Amino acid sequence: MSDRTVWIINHYAKSPGEPGGTRHFDLARHLCDLGWKPCIFAARIESNDASNSVEQVAPQEIEGVRFRWLYAPAYEGNGIKRIINMGVFAWKLLDKETTKDIERPSVIIGSTVHLLAAAAAALLAKRYRVPFIFEVRDIWPETLIAMGYTRRHSPLARALGSLERWLCRQAAQVVSVLPGYGNYLRERNIPPREAVHIPNGVNLDNIGEPLAYRKQDKFRITYLGAHGMANDLQTLVRAMEMIELTHGIVSIECHLIGAGAMKQALMDYCADKGVKQVFFHPPVNKNAIRATAADTQAFVLCGRKLPSLYKYGISMNKIPDYMAMGRPVIIAMESVNNPIIEADAGICVQAEAPEELAGAIMKMAQMNEAELREMGLRGRGYVEREHDMKLLAQRLAGVMEQCLESWFV
């Protein structure tokens, strides 16, 4: 098969070596081996870091994957400046100067987080008369409604809902990281009412073999990722506070690695309440996760109690990352799917229940090394079967081939 070019539009895509999700680089790297020439369009700016906006960043090529970085103005938080940031990215994407020196696409993928980037991708697909694939990673407007940022029948929700329906109608195929997104479409009678499930995954070649345990004086649990409202790290911090209040300063440490809007508030809470065993660290890139995991006995993550949203499933980047290391996971979340339960690779408790989470942490801290290792290896085996990026890239390539076959019939 001759090389075919796929443009992947993801405002927040990351290159390897940067903190954050590298889903599209990881997929694109394996697409190269399948005869595709991928180009990722993203904004070179970090959220909550107004100093990092730049007017122009040179294109890059990393392991055969091309990155085209577009200017977007700096912003902090989730106010009007972030909306402007989104709009400028979409506008720049549609500027013919942006794409004039890149091979004509065979397929264009437009990925959320936000719908404006996906809409720009759909318009580009119309311009070049090629199939458009709509990839859903976060559901809009349902995410904003569930988080309490807008009402279901507000003008914003109606506008986003209309844009969502338009994108689905324009798509040759809808793809989602969420296993239940097809149910979401059917409930709302949105065509095509089916979606191909391609979850988040990991490049196992980069990660290597599961980590051996090191002898530690303390039982260390680690959270890696964003510190935002949706991550509900308040529950984790309160769970550690309860452990200290009930058992004193026991030999359990909780390390939070990352950045986000809630980080300072979490640090202030620990300082005010005298929580001694929670430690905060700056974000690290994916290449550093293995070194971080080497000193960790278990990973932990939390989520808000959002039944109207999580009934369609979860697929967080950090879950397969955690499991691939061969470490057990403590998860405080309620969803229609739960890889930790499916793999029997950790302990699951209710969302927003710090006392239950504290109990789960204490229970795991009392397990012996053999029990922890067996639990972690079950998770690693699950990732190898369900979340290997090589397999997921093959699935995506199959979707693109089907779209092309249907497009030119």
Side-chain angles (χ1 to χ4, degrees), residues 176-190:
S176 181
V177 300
L178 306 174
Y181 190 68
N183 293 334
Y184 175 87
L185 296 177
R186 285 188 288 274
E187 287 172 8
R188 287 155 180 79
N189 199 31
I190 300 175

Side-chain angles (χ1 to χ4, degrees), residues 237-354:
V237 166
R238 289 184 60 203
M240 289 300 299
E241 180 187 13
M242 289 179 177
I243 290 172
E244 292 187 19
L245 289 173
T246 305
H247 302 282
I249 305 299
V250 294
S251 57
I252 298 174
E253 291 184 353
C254 178
H255 292 259
L256 306 183
I257 302 172
M262 294 299 298
K263 183 167 185 173
Q264 188 59 53
L266 293 166
M267 295 173 68
D268 292 343
Y269 182 91
C270 289
D272 291 344
K273 299 293 184 178
V275 181
K276 304 294 185 184
Q277 298 298 91
V278 176
F279 302 90
F280 294 88
H281 308 273
V284 298
N285 62 53
K286 281 207 170 186
N287 296 333
I289 292 178
R290 184 176 176 87
T292 299
D295 293 321
T296 293
Q297 279 69 50
F299 286 105
V300 61
L301 74 150
C302 306
R304 297 273 303 279
K305 190 184 288 290
L306 303 172
S308 66
L309 184 63
Y310 290 151
K311 69 178 182 178
Y312 305 112
I314 57 172
S315 185
M316 299 175 178
N317 282 305
K318 60 179 68 63
I319 293 178
D321 285 343
Y322 288 175
M323 298 170 77
M325 299 295 169
R327 292 288 189 264
V329 180
I330 303 168
I331 181 169
M333 185 175 291
E334 297 163 59
S335 172
V336 69
N337 70 310
N338 190 318
I340 308 305
I341 294 176
E342 293 164 15
D344 190 18
I347 300 175
C348 181
V349 298
Q350 291 186 70
E352 301 183 22

